Structure formats: structure tokens, C-alpha cells
Amino acid sequence: LSPREPSSSFLGITTGTNQYNYASANNNGNIPNQGLVAIYNLTMPTRPEHIFCSGCPILHSQFHPTEHPKLIVGGAASGQILVWDARVGRYPVQRSSGSSMGGHDCEVVGMAVLGDNSPDGGAGGGGSGGSCTMVTASSDGKVNYWSASNLREPAEHVMVPKANLSCLRVLPGGEGVMCGDERGGLHAIIASSGNSASVAVAGAGGGTRKVVKTLHAGGDGGWSSSASDGTDDLDASLEKGVDMGHFGMVTAVATRSSAMNAGNSPRLSNKEATSSGLGGGSSRGFLRGVGGLVVTTGVDWSTKIWAPAYSNVPLLSYLSNSYDYMCDAQWSPVHPSIFATASSNGTVNIWNLATFLDKPISGSKGIPIDNFQSTSPSADPAARQGLNRIQWSGDGRRMAVASGDKLHVLGVGEDIWKSKGDEDGKVMNNLHSRGLIQEDKV
């Protein structure tokens, strides 16, 4: 399994109709040097409803944030941003400019919509195209900001220094982004407070002044079952033997949906919210409380949970029992304490931080996808095909899983998609009781 160019490299979902439409992109080996994007409808699961073509592999894509599901946007290995129109035909109707006009000249590794960090990348939201901004990242460390109404030239860009980026996700709040890189580094791009020394100025368009904050530079990660450090002193953290972060490529960054942060937290008084960490606003440029938790996965076999408002080091680190690449992670869009992870050994794990901090609720061996419909317990784990991407539906009741060139759609139980309303508080209590988060040090 190649974490850089998997057979199925993205999954997107739109809910514009009564049926869910799932999109997947791949580099089909039967069609040399031709990337494909396929749109599936659950009413016709045996074949794609639409197929779109490109002149090069498509590494990332999603439904257009304001014109879904008619328009599909893709990021190519060439660095171009492509737009397809389902009403026109199979080939792109628009391509972005090259690096001379501010575009990417290296492969696109991430794509998202600012203002909406829902799992489907904003495809279910709609809204005004004039106020909608897309953000893309390429492997040379360049992050471009685009107007959804003009995907030919970026409005501005930021360079993450000395980083070959591998993934991107919008931070809670909808204005900042978090990026992982090939050395295991984790970087955030947020609006500048005016007092930071590491400022990256937008390269074009006179955009908002932005700062790049590096939580972990990569390449020197360490192991531990948990880590808690309320300071920014990395040398002190190393002396304590805490986990500094990934030391292999970060394959995915997962953040909670802005809509869930706004709508699912329990209503508390200001004093209760501050003491529980749920409603304490922001710190260090990041959202505090459960809404600010970030999950990352990497080729170093690990899944890590971060709280950048409190610390630059991971709170928790989980090691794959099978010592396989961890390929993707996604928070549930409706349940505040649940997220899922995908592994190259062909299994999905589901975690509920309100129940357990140290093990998944799906069991230590995970849920095997390729033989999901098989009742035989003797299926050979070595014969499973690695997973590439996972994606929740908007209501949290289904999960799309890409396994090689196959797309699986799973249903989940009521305990996974139905929240009781007090999970945020339980997660914070669990983190506080272990000493992983200390409010008085923020």
C-alpha cells in the first residue's frame, strides 16, 4: 500500500438528494496515466452514476462547496485544480493556472473549505459562493487560498517552511488549517495575533496576515502511552520521555465539525464551562475543550490525539496491534466523542473517548472490511486489502470505506450515531482525571 498514491485516494459525500452520493477518485491501472473520479448513488450500488476523467492521477477531490452535486473539484498529481461539470461531460471544464500565476507545481495533498470543516469538506453546506474560500496544500509546503467562484488563480498563499506536506484539515472555528508532513511534523496556519515571531505573509491578494505554528517539527518523535505537558519547552518534554509526535509521514489529520461544536455541547454556565474546559474560548490560537481535539494517523503505526490549545505534544498515542500503517481518521459528524480510524491491514476501529481513553469500542482487532460480509472466523488477515480512506455520512449513520479499488458503505448502530448529550463533559473529565489537560497552565 502506498500512502502517497493509494488506488482510492479520497471519498466525498453530498446530501443534496434523498439518497447519499459517494464520490471516489483513483488512478486506474487499466487506463495508463489517467485519473478517474466516480460518483456513486446508493440506489445503484453496482456501477457509478458518473465517471470523470483527467490527464493525470487525481489525489484528492470533493464536491464543489456551493454548486454541488453538479460540480466536482479535484486536485491532481500535477498540482492543478480541476473542475468537472456533471451536465457537460467527462472531462474538466476548468483547470487552475501553473506556478507562475500562483498555482501549485507539486502534487496536491489536501483540499478543504474554510468556514466548514465537516467530514465531507463542506459539500453538504451550500451558501454564497462569493464568501466561500477553498484551501489546498501541495507536497512542497505551499498552501493556497482560493475563491470558490474563481479556481483558476489563488487569492493568496502561505509557505510552510521546511515541510513536505502530506495532508490538510480545517481547524475548529473554520478559519485556520492543520497540516501534517512527510517527516511526521504537524503545522497550523492561523490568523496572526500580531505578537508572533514566525509569521508567514500571504503571497498574493493582500489577505489576512497569517502565522505558521509548528507543534512538532517531525523526524524525532518518541514513544509513550500518554503525554502531558503544559509548557512549550520541548527540551523539558524530551527529558520527561513524553511522546513528541509522529516520526513517519502523517497520513491524516481529523478535526471536529464546526457545526457540531456549535450545536452539540451541553449548555453550561460560564463558571461550569470554564471548569470543564468546554466553553473556555480559545488559547494559543486554538479552540479549547473537546471541540479543539485533533486526531492524527501516521505510517509509524500510531494514532495520536492532540489538544493544541493546551500543549504542543500529543495527549495520547495508540500503537497499531498489527504494526501496520494507519491510513485515515475521521470524527463522527454527529457524536462528539466518537472517531474512526482505518489501517493498512484492512480494518476499521471506532473509538469513544467518553467511554475509554485507551482502547477502541470496536475491539482490539478492529472491524475487517474485505470479509465484512463473511461469517467465517478463519479469514486470513494477511489476505485483506489495505484501506485508503473513510468517510462518515452527514447524519453519522453510514460510513464509506475505500479499500483498494473497492468502495464499501457500512451502516452503524444507534449507539454510534445517537448522542446522549453529556459526552463532551465525560471526555473532559476523563482527560482531567488522568492529568492530561491542566486548565491552570493554559
Side-chain angles (χ1 to χ4, degrees):
L1 173 69
S2 168
R4 168 53 58 80
E5 294 187 6
S7 296
S8 186
S9 55
F10 91 95
L11 288 171
I13 301 175
T14 182
T15 56
T17 61
N18 292 331
Q19 294 81 26
Y20 287 97
N21 294 317
Y22 291 83
S24 65
N26 63 63
N27 181 17
N28 192 324
N30 297 326
I31 307 176
N33 198 34
Q34 184 172 359
L36 298 178
V37 177
I39 310 295
Y40 288 87
N41 193 307
L42 289 185
T43 61
M44 299 185 299
T46 58
R47 64 179 180 85
E49 187 171 350
H50 297 284
I51 296 179
F52 303 105
C53 304
S54 169
C56 60
I58 303 299
L59 302 182
H60 202 89
S61 189
Q62 67 176 59
F63 293 99
H64 193 280
T66 61
E67 297 295 332
H68 62 86
K70 295 175 288 186
L71 299 184
I72 295 90
V73 184
S78 64
Q80 283 188 314
I81 306 300
L82 310 176
V83 180
W84 293 269
D85 191 331
R87 300 163 296 184
V88 174
R90 292 190 173 188
Y91 294 94
V93 296
Q94 182 177 303
R95 297 174 183 264
S96 66
S97 61
S99 58
S100 61
M101 299 295 291
H104 296 292
D105 56 5
C106 293
E107 57 194 350
V108 176
V109 297
M111 177 180 294
V113 179
L114 287 182
D116 187 346
N117 64 337
S118 56
D120 54 0
S128 172
S131 61
C132 186
T133 300
M134 292 190 66
V135 57
T136 58
S138 56
S139 59
D140 60 350
K142 188 176 186 179
V143 178
N144 278 342
Y145 296 81
W146 313 74
S147 168
S149 59
N150 178 18
L151 294 177
R152 292 187 181 276
E153 299 178 9
E156 55 179 319
H157 75 265
V158 169
M159 289 296 300
V160 180
K162 300 179 181 180
N164 297 109
L165 300 182
S166 57
C167 55
L168 172 145
R169 178 63 66 178
V170 177
L171 284 167
E175 297 303 322
V177 297
M178 184 78 78
C179 306
D181 71 27
E182 294 180 357
R183 298 182 66 246
L186 196 61
H187 316 271
I189 303 175
I190 57 178
S192 173
S193 61
N195 57 2
S196 176
S198 57
V199 172
V201 181
T208 304
R209 190 173 176 86
K210 295 178 174 63
V211 59
V212 178
K213 289 190 174 183
T214 297
L215 275 69
H216 174 50
D220 57 355
W223 286 108
S224 91
S225 60
S226 64
S228 178
D229 185 8
T231 73
D232 291 331
D233 189 346
L234 299 185
D235 291 335
S237 299
L238 287 170
E239 290 177 2
K240 294 177 183 178
V242 299
D243 185 359
M244 297 305 301
H246 295 282
F247 59 85
M249 186 173 76
V250 180
T251 54
V253 175
T255 58
R256 285 208 343 178
S257 167
S258 295
M260 182 171 61
N261 287 334
N264 284 39
S265 295
R267 295 182 179 275
L268 305 175
S269 67
N270 290 337
K271 182 177 180 180
E272 291 172 328
T274 301
S275 62
S276 67
L278 295 176
S282 62
S283 177
R284 294 153 47 103
F286 302 98
L287 187 67
R288 295 170 63 181
V290 179
L293 295 181
V294 176
V295 179
T296 60
T297 56
V299 299
D300 58 355
W301 317 327
S302 71
T303 300
K304 300 182 187 294
I305 298 180
W306 309 69
Y310 303 90
S311 174
N312 280 356
V313 298
L315 302 181
L316 295 161
S317 183
Y318 312 108
L319 188 64
S320 167
N321 289 334
S322 57
Y323 300 102
D324 288 292
Y325 291 170
M326 299 304 299
C327 300
D328 200 10
Q330 293 285 343
W331 283 97
S332 167
V334 295
H335 198 296
S337 62
I338 283 182
F339 67 92
T341 57
S343 170
S344 64
N345 73 345
T347 61
V348 168
N349 269 311
I350 299 178
W351 307 73
N352 187 342
L353 298 181
T355 305
F356 303 111
L357 287 181
D358 51 2
K359 61 181 179 180
I361 59 175
S362 54
S364 60
K365 294 184 179 180
I367 304 170
I369 298 301
D370 265 352
N371 55 348
F372 186 77
Q373 297 178 339
S374 173
T375 58
S376 172
S378 60
D380 183 11
R384 298 174 190 158
Q385 194 166 20
L387 306 183
N388 311 120
R389 292 290 183 266
I390 54 177
Q391 187 74 68
W392 297 90
S393 62
D395 60 5
R397 301 189 183 199
R398 296 180 178 93
M399 182 189 300
V401 182
S403 172
D405 58 354
K406 297 178 182 178
L407 178 63
H408 308 264
V409 180
L410 314 179
V412 300
E414 183 175 323
D415 57 329
I416 302 298
W417 60 262
K418 190 172 184 179
S419 171
K420 296 179 180 179
D422 60 348
E423 285 84 357
D424 278 346
K426 289 182 178 179
V427 174
M428 290 304 296
N429 288 336
N430 289 342
L431 294 174
H432 280 297
S433 64
R434 290 219 188 164
L436 300 176
I437 287 181
Q438 302 178 33
E439 291 287 342
D440 56 345
K441 289 189 177 182
V442 179

